[in-house]
Amino acid sequence: MAASGQLPVTQDLSSLRAKLQKLLRFLREALPISNAHTVDFYTESVWEKLVDLPPETVLSALRTSAAASEACPLEEAGRMSDVTDFPKIFCETSQKLVNVEAFALAAKYYSVQNLGICTPFDQLLVALHGNQKQRTDENVKLDEFMNLKKSHEVQAMSELISSIAEYCGIKQIIDLGSGKGYLSSFLSLKYGLKVYGIDSSNTRGAEERNRKLKKHWKVYRRRWKPDISGLALQTAKERKVQEAKCKADAEGVGTNSTTGQGKPSTSGFSSEFSGSVISDIRRQMENLKVYSHQEENLCFENAFSLRDLLPVNAIDPTSSSQIPKRKMSEASKERIKITSKANESNIYSPLTSIITADSELHDIIKDLEDCLMVGLHTCGDLAPNTLRIFTSKSEVKGVCSVGCCYHLLSEEFENPHKEYTQERRGFPMCHYLKEERWCCGRNARMSACLLPTESLFYRAILQDIIKECYGITKCDRHVGKIYSKSSSFPDYVRKSLKKLGLDESKLPEKIIMDYYEKYKPRMNELEAFNMLKVVLAPCIETLILLDRLCYLKEQDHIVWSALVRLFDPVKSPRCYAIIALKKQQ
């Protein structure tokens, strides 16, 4: 490895398995709540089957728990010792929920943050950089190129990836599920990494977006002061101060230039060509005189010229022939050659390909070398496939994966008799959960993606109408986003029936409204049940993340692996990254 910093100590496989076993003990009792289909809420009497409390009691207890957690988090942490007494949460005979307070406390206890399985992001960055000074670029504001959520994600993840790449001495990055190419472009432009962005959809849009981003990036970089001696670039704050100081000088130059013979007028230049730029040029020319005797020994990242110091629109393209050609020194030619080669290697290449666990990288990337594999919010099975490719391909030395869309994961034990097109499914990955033949279920994985209560309420009543008026006892077909397009409940029912291919004309509006009035007093049941699902959602995510982390811990050739909270969960709810490094040759 290129750096010698000691990476943070993480929990070993036996410790993680012990936490996983306790989590499973809770979920065996609680999972029926997550897996209950809201569509069947009234037709299957879900509340009566799973909860032995009035809905008002559940709603009040959950709201009180949430308020207590915000007000006194440390006091609540002290109560965590009670959560292992499961008979107090669920009835031993009926398996129904009987203690909402203990239920909420247990769900919070088994969240990722409270289990203590995360490695602090800042601690990891310090370890990766060792004694080297961390590269920072506070002037770069990503929200000028993308929305605030995406800029937050790209900023944090690109900093981590570049640090890992530098630690491992790697220059090539493979970004799986690269989508619009935000992360790939930024890794290439800011950190000078060679990035291959692979996505299953057409990547022409990402390529065009990257071209525009490069254009804006160059303009953005021109705001900084180029320093011939290789010193730090001028900050935006310093430039504002200098602009104020040089205002009079700029006006003087503009006025005097019209009186002198042979001096070009600045009146045709844009307002961007301000006095501060002219002052910069004068100062840089002075610096050139001072450093001219050192020219042959200087090593520039970019070769600056007078034209480089001017704004793009301050140069008339037709005037280039009037500038006398200057013979270029051999040293200058060599510097340009080196810069060109560097620019050729620091590129982003969007590629279109479907990735599976068995994909051959050499067939997709012709110049494959030692690399890092990364993924920002890789959807469904792509996240576990990223980890499997990492473990099986010798060229992939490290991985940094943030998954999402858990509801799209394929499960090995969800439908044992169903045939899958791919041999390996997304869940479970680790040996322990495979031995347990553990299954979450799609509804449980969907628990973090719940719709508004009224939308669910409408759909649950519709299911009863379909059952009683059309004789259809099971209807799994989706009605789509009809709720948002409906003006009333009768309008929702008619549009839904039409989409399902049922004759809506046989139902008078009075019958439709009778169903609505019948269930309206019980709407609080659905609201309370919805909140129970929301409370359980972090436990489902913990299970999926622990499964992936244990899988990596089981691999002998992986020297280090960790779970890191990379993003602010308020800005980006899917905020956890799985990171791992292989043993180096």
Side-chain angles (χ1 to χ4, degrees):
M1 293 186 178
S4 57
Q6 184 67 40
L7 294 176
V9 176
T10 62
Q11 294 191 24
D12 59 18
L13 182 59
S14 60
S15 298
L16 293 175
R17 277 185 177 172
K19 293 178 186 293
L20 190 56
Q21 288 171 348
K22 292 180 180 179
L23 172 60
L24 293 189
R25 183 184 172 193
F26 171 61
L27 286 179
R28 281 191 181 96
E29 304 283 348
L31 210 56
I33 292 176
S34 288
N35 269 325
H37 205 322
T38 315
V39 166
D40 301 318
F41 188 76
Y42 295 121
T43 57
E44 300 294 333
S45 302
V46 171
W47 184 266
E48 290 83 355
K49 287 181 179 178
L50 299 178
V51 185
D52 198 18
L53 295 164
E56 296 81 5
T57 302
V58 173
L59 287 169
S60 175
L62 292 179
R63 286 165 183 159
T64 301
S65 174
S69 177
E70 291 180 7
C72 306
L74 293 177
E75 182 179 333
E76 180 164 291
R79 296 161 52 209
M80 291 295 185
S81 59
D82 298 332
V83 302
T84 55
D85 195 356
F86 288 96
K88 289 184 179 179
I89 301 176
F90 297 95
C91 176
E92 290 182 335
T93 54
S94 68
Q95 309 301 316
K96 292 182 182 181
L97 176 66
V98 294
N99 190 329
V100 187
E101 292 84 356
F103 173 86
L105 196 62
K108 190 165 295 181
Y109 176 79
Y110 289 115
S111 65
V112 173
Q113 283 299 106
N114 282 305
L115 277 181
I117 56 177
C118 275
T119 297
F121 181 34
D122 293 340
Q123 183 182 347
L124 176 58
L125 283 181
V126 170
L128 288 170
H129 287 286
N131 295 326
Q132 300 178 20
K133 187 176 180 181
Q134 186 174 341
R135 291 184 299 177
T136 57
D137 216 337
E138 296 178 358
N139 289 328
V140 180
K141 297 179 180 178
L142 292 186
D143 54 3
E144 295 190 15
F145 307 114
M146 57 197 80
N147 65 46
L148 288 174
K149 176 181 179 293
K150 185 59 66 176
S151 66
H152 169 67
E153 294 165 352
V154 170
Q155 183 95 8
M157 192 159 182
S158 62
E159 182 180 12
L160 176 59
I161 292 169
S162 68
S163 300
I164 296 173
E166 188 173 356
Y167 182 87
C168 297
I170 286 172
K171 285 293 184 181
Q172 189 177 88
I173 308 293
I174 300 176
D175 181 9
L176 296 186
S178 55
K180 296 181 179 180
Y182 290 121
L183 177 64
S184 297
S185 296
F186 198 67
L187 286 169
S188 173
L189 289 170
K190 180 177 179 181
Y191 293 103
L193 295 166
K194 186 173 184 178
V195 186
Y196 285 98
I198 305 176
D199 199 87
S200 60
S201 61
N202 196 308
T203 52
R204 287 183 181 177
E207 195 167 355
E208 176 63 16
R209 190 172 289 102
N210 182 61
R211 186 188 66 79
K212 292 179 180 179
L213 183 58
K214 278 184 178 179
K215 181 179 178 181
H216 288 296
W217 187 268
K218 289 176 182 178
V219 173
Y220 192 85
R221 293 298 293 260
R222 285 191 180 93
R223 299 177 193 172
W224 306 339
K225 175 183 63 179
D227 193 329
I228 299 299
S229 63
L231 299 176
L233 296 174
Q234 181 185 38
T235 64
K237 185 176 180 181
E238 290 171 340
R239 176 165 285 285
K240 288 180 181 179
V241 173
Q242 190 175 12
E243 283 177 357
K245 290 181 179 178
C246 298
K247 189 175 180 181
D249 183 39
E251 293 173 354
V253 171
T255 305
N256 295 335
S257 63
T258 58
T259 59
Q261 284 186 338
K263 295 180 181 179
S265 171
T266 60
S267 59
F269 286 4
S270 70
S271 59
E272 188 181 353
F273 187 54
S274 62
S276 62
V277 177
I278 297 172
S279 179
D280 277 348
I281 295 171
R282 287 177 173 172
R283 182 174 50 78
Q284 299 294 349
M285 296 305 288
E286 290 299 320
N287 287 341
L288 279 173
K289 293 177 183 178
V290 174
Y291 291 101
S292 60
H293 67 281
Q294 301 175 356
E295 182 183 1
E296 297 300 321
N297 297 323
L298 290 177
C299 180
F300 298 104
E301 287 185 12
N302 296 290
F304 293 112
S305 68
L306 180 61
R307 293 170 66 87
D308 293 321
L309 297 174
L310 298 175
V312 177
N313 52 1
I315 300 289
D316 181 1
T318 61
S319 65
S320 59
S321 59
Q322 300 172 12
I323 300 175
K325 293 183 179 180
R326 179 174 59 87
K327 188 175 182 180
M328 190 178 293
S329 69
E330 291 301 320
S332 297
K333 289 180 181 178
E334 186 62 28
R335 280 199 299 271
I336 291 175
K337 190 184 295 183
I338 293 171
T339 303
S340 298
K341 287 182 179 178
N343 290 336
E344 285 174 6
S345 62
N346 303 336
I347 58 173
Y348 159 46
S349 303
L351 302 172
T352 304
S353 180
I354 296 175
I355 297 295
T356 69
D358 302 312
S359 294
E360 286 296 335
L361 297 178
H362 279 288
D363 294 340
I364 304 169
I365 301 170
K366 301 305 179 185
D367 62 339
L368 183 67
E369 58 188 56
D370 286 356
C371 63
L372 297 181
M373 186 162 279
V374 304
L376 173 54
H377 290 151
T378 44
C379 186
D381 284 353
L382 185 55
N385 282 342
T386 299
L387 302 183
R388 288 190 172 111
I389 294 172
F390 159 67
T391 59
S392 63
K393 306 300 180 184
S394 60
E395 296 88 355
V396 185
K397 303 301 182 184
V399 68
C400 179
S401 172
V402 180
C404 72
C405 304
Y406 299 139
H407 61 289
L408 296 178
L409 277 173
S410 62
E411 290 199 58
E412 186 172 353
F413 305 109
E414 184 174 18
N415 296 301
H417 304 295
K418 181 179 178 180
E419 290 188 9
Y420 289 89
T421 54
Q422 64 179 60
E423 184 181 348
R424 288 178 285 185
R425 262 77 86 184
F427 181 89
M429 297 186 72
C430 72
H431 291 318
Y432 177 70
L433 289 181
K434 283 180 176 290
E435 291 170 357
E436 292 287 317
R437 298 183 65 83
W438 185 267
C439 172
C440 284
R442 187 177 187 276
N443 290 335
R445 289 180 277 109
M446 275 286 291
S447 59
C449 313
L450 295 174
L451 299 171
T453 300
E454 189 176 58
S455 172
L456 298 171
F457 179 60
Y458 278 16
R459 184 63 182 89
I461 302 175
L462 175 67
Q463 193 76 357
D464 198 35
I465 292 174
I466 292 171
K467 178 182 178 181
E468 294 187 356
C469 299
Y470 294 88
I472 301 174
T473 56
K474 197 69 176 176
C475 181
D476 292 329
R477 290 182 59 190
H478 299 288
V479 298
K481 300 178 180 179
I482 290 179
Y483 170 77
S484 60
K485 303 172 185 175
S486 303
S487 58
S488 63
F489 179 68
D491 185 39
Y492 170 83
V493 171
R494 296 196 185 283
K495 287 179 178 177
S496 299
L497 292 174
K498 188 175 181 179
K499 184 168 183 178
L500 294 172
L502 301 174
D503 182 11
E504 79 277 10
S505 63
K506 67 180 289 186
L507 278 183
E509 186 165 328
K510 184 180 183 305
I511 293 180
I512 294 175
M513 288 307 298
D514 284 346
Y515 275 96
Y516 180 83
E517 295 299 330
K518 173 185 175 181
Y519 288 110
K520 188 177 180 181
R522 296 178 59 189
M523 186 176 177
N524 60 351
E525 291 178 9
L526 188 57
E527 182 183 0
F529 198 78
N530 201 25
M531 285 186 67
L532 289 174
K533 283 193 163 194
V534 170
V535 168
L536 268 178
C539 297
I540 307 300
E541 181 175 34
T542 301
L543 176 63
I544 293 170
L545 293 174
L546 268 176
D547 173 50
R548 294 173 183 177
L549 188 57
C550 286
Y551 166 78
L552 292 173
K553 296 286 185 182
E554 291 168 354
Q555 314 303 316
D556 292 334
H557 62 303
I558 294 177
V559 69
W560 188 85
S561 56
L563 183 67
V564 176
R565 197 184 87 175
L566 199 52
F567 312 133
D568 180 346
V570 176
K571 296 178 181 177
S572 182
R574 293 288 172 259
C575 58
Y576 296 104
I578 298 281
I579 304 162
L581 300 175
K582 287 179 183 174
K583 294 178 181 177
Q584 301 299 302
Q585 297 296 329

